[in-house]
Amino acid sequence: MTIDRRRLICPSLTRPMSTGDGCLARLAPLDRALEASTLHHLAAASDTWGNGVLEVTRRGNLQCRGFPCREDDAFRPALGVLPGQAGSRFPISLDPSGLLMPQTAVVMRALYAGLHDRLRTSGLETHVAPKISLVISAGGGLGYDTLAADIQLHVTAGANTCRIHIGIGRSLAPGDMRWQGMTSSPEQAIDAVAALLWAIGDQGPLVRARGLPDEALPALGLQPGHPASTPAYAIGDTLAAPLARLWGVPCGRLDSTTVAVLGDICARLDLTLWPIPERRLLIVGGRASEADQALRSLGLIDDPRQPLPYIDLCAGRDCPRGGIDTHATARRLAALLTALPSTVSAHISGCPKRCARDVPALITLSGDDRDDRLRFILNGQPGDPALWEGANHDDVWTMLTALVERVAQCPDESASVEHWQACWQALCDEACA
């Protein structure tokens, strides 16, 4: 086993990442739902080898924290038996909404197996950047068609039809794809993906899809076309066929006890579970609605106005560098942000590093192990100049509360940096008057 101490690759079972609270191992995207027995196994493995903390990431992956950072693979056999862990080293995300529909599932599984085989046997694994990501979506409204990805295959299948649209990422923006065309053949789609990956890798060892210029795109021989957009499901929504419910995970964090209880619920009601993008769980089964009260008692969220699942945060005081309790801070901030739309991005960091989020957030609250100050940064990242900071955290919260209340007076403008800046200036002017 190799322990990675850089951030040029994504942490995995074979290459966990050293963090402030031990090693972090991210599971490859699942290729089938988690059943009761698998959830019990996952909870026990996390307790035995890690610190009992599991997380659902923004991309819908599972990761386990607190594993010992030593050069052995003691925990790999315990986690390697989970669904989807035996493929190539590149993550291929599967949209559960398609896997729940028989005709679409056949095509998606053929693509999934064929792509992993091609990546393993063709030399592509060493030709392209280690963070290359692939998504097989089905337009089911669960967030896979808007995931940032290097390559996306969008599958639509019926009794006598099959359409596979192929897109290559244009930027880091969610769902920003350059659609290359459509085919009805999984084999042709796999060939097209391989050709795109070879072209990307030819640009350099760390180049991603967005670095491939249009003039370097290979000819793929596809029919023209791009997939139609579909409405998105929100936390608390119910899918009709098959019956499934969407739940949010507070701050994306589950402890092993909660995971074990989820296993008990799934066993009792014959349910299965998928982690999906935006730190959500898809609970599938004919008796899914019977689990509502039990899931709420575990702290899971079915209110789409609750911002807790969307706040990015690090381990906080579980890390030696963490100067604040990030989880308590997240809950306090979430109580403020319920007055605003969920489009407001927020990041809470225990120190000036950027472990939980590597792009600016509209609201950033940061601590530091060198002092006890809380810093509020607008439209920036930890380590950037603070708009307001103080050793008395209550002063910072008083200021932030007044600012959020002012912003909330025009909720349609709440995602605008200029609006926040204008509200801040108005508060400063009033204080000086």
Side-chain angles (χ1 to χ4, degrees), residues 4 6-17 24 26 59 61 89 91 130-133 208:
D4 190 68
R6 303 164 301 137
R7 297 190 180 274
L8 296 177
I9 68 168
C10 295
S12 64
L13 277 183
T14 56
R15 194 184 284 266
M17 178 179 286
L24 182 151
R26 183 174 301 156
R59 294 185 66 84
N61 296 320
R89 72 181 177 92
K131 278 197 170 186
I132 288 285
S133 62
R208 304 285 298 278

Side-chain angles (χ1 to χ4, degrees), residues 374-429:
L374 180 64
R375 296 165 174 82
F376 165 53
I377 300 151
L378 181 64
N379 193 41
Q381 297 174 279
D384 289 346
L387 198 65
W388 187 273
E389 64 178 281
N392 186 333
H393 293 194
D394 286 339
D395 289 347
V396 179
W397 284 110
T398 298
M399 174 280 304
L400 187 55
T401 299
L403 179 57
V404 169
E405 290 174 349
R406 181 65 63 96
V407 169
Q409 293 174 11
C410 298
D412 292 343
E413 299 292 325
S414 62
S416 163
V417 177
E418 291 76 15
H419 181 55
W420 282 78
Q421 291 170 335
C423 290
W424 171 255
Q425 187 61 53
L427 288 173
C428 292
D429 292 344

Side-chain angles (χ1 to χ4, degrees), residues 20-319:
D21 61 338
C23 269
L24 182 151
R26 183 174 301 156
L27 301 182
L30 305 182
D31 63 354
R32 63 182 186 274
L34 295 174
E35 300 175 343
S37 60
T38 316
L39 290 165
H40 289 141
H41 179 87
L42 182 59
S46 178
D47 263 343
T48 302
W49 302 109
N51 61 6
V53 174
L54 299 104
E55 294 174 329
V56 180
T57 71
R58 189 174 281 278
R59 294 185 66 84
N61 296 320
L62 283 176
Q63 59 190 28
C64 306
R65 304 194 70 100
F67 290 95
C69 290
R70 57 176 185 258
E71 295 290 336
D72 64 42
D73 59 356
F75 60 84
R76 283 182 60 198
L79 297 177
V81 299
L82 296 172
Q85 306 312 301
S88 68
R89 72 181 177 92
F90 286 104
I92 301 178
S93 298
L94 281 169
D95 184 346
S97 69
L99 297 178
L100 295 173
M101 298 181 289
Q103 292 93 347
T104 307
V106 170
V107 178
M108 291 179 70
R109 292 201 179 280
L111 290 169
Y112 179 83
L115 285 169
H116 273 306
D117 184 65
R118 181 70 65 88
L119 287 164
R120 278 193 303 261
T121 60
S122 64
L124 276 168
E125 283 192 333
T126 57
H127 183 68
V128 296
K131 278 197 170 186
I132 288 285
S133 62
L134 286 74
V135 173
I136 304 176
S137 70
L142 298 182
Y144 287 86
D145 49 346
T146 55
L147 271 183
D150 290 280
I151 295 177
Q152 181 184 153
L153 295 94
H154 187 285
V155 179
T156 309
N160 300 304
T161 61
C162 171
R163 294 190 298 275
I164 306 168
H165 291 90
I166 300 168
I168 180 170
R170 187 193 315 274
S171 70
L172 287 174
D176 186 15
M177 309 299 296
R178 292 173 283 177
W179 292 104
Q180 302 301 295
M182 177 192 71
T183 178
S184 60
S185 164
E187 293 77 14
Q188 185 182 13
I190 292 168
D191 289 342
V193 171
L196 289 170
L197 289 174
W198 283 113
I200 294 168
D202 288 344
Q203 301 295 312
L206 297 179
V207 173
R208 304 285 298 278
R210 59 186 179 274
L212 180 65
D214 288 343
E215 58 269 21
L217 286 167
L220 301 177
L222 302 173
Q223 303 173 45
H226 57 82
S229 59
T230 53
Y233 287 102
I235 287 172
D237 284 348
T238 298
L239 284 67
L243 187 65
R245 288 267 285 152
L246 272 173
W247 291 82
V249 180
C251 305
R253 175 170 282 213
L254 299 165
D255 60 48
S256 57
T257 301
T258 299
V259 174
V261 175
L262 282 171
D264 295 341
I265 294 169
C266 288
R268 176 167 53 86
L269 298 176
D270 192 25
L271 305 175
T272 58
L273 178 155
W274 287 91
I276 64 171
E278 301 301 331
R279 305 189 182 108
R280 298 176 296 172
L281 299 177
L282 182 70
I283 310 292
V284 183
R287 301 175 66 186
S289 59
E290 295 180 39
D292 286 3
Q293 184 173 348
L295 295 175
R296 291 189 193 105
S297 70
L298 289 176
L300 296 183
I301 295 167
D302 61 347
D303 181 354
R305 299 167 299 176
Q306 170 57 256
L308 260 180
Y310 309 114
I311 296 177
D312 296 301
L313 75 165
C314 65
R317 286 189 173 141
D318 290 339
C319 170

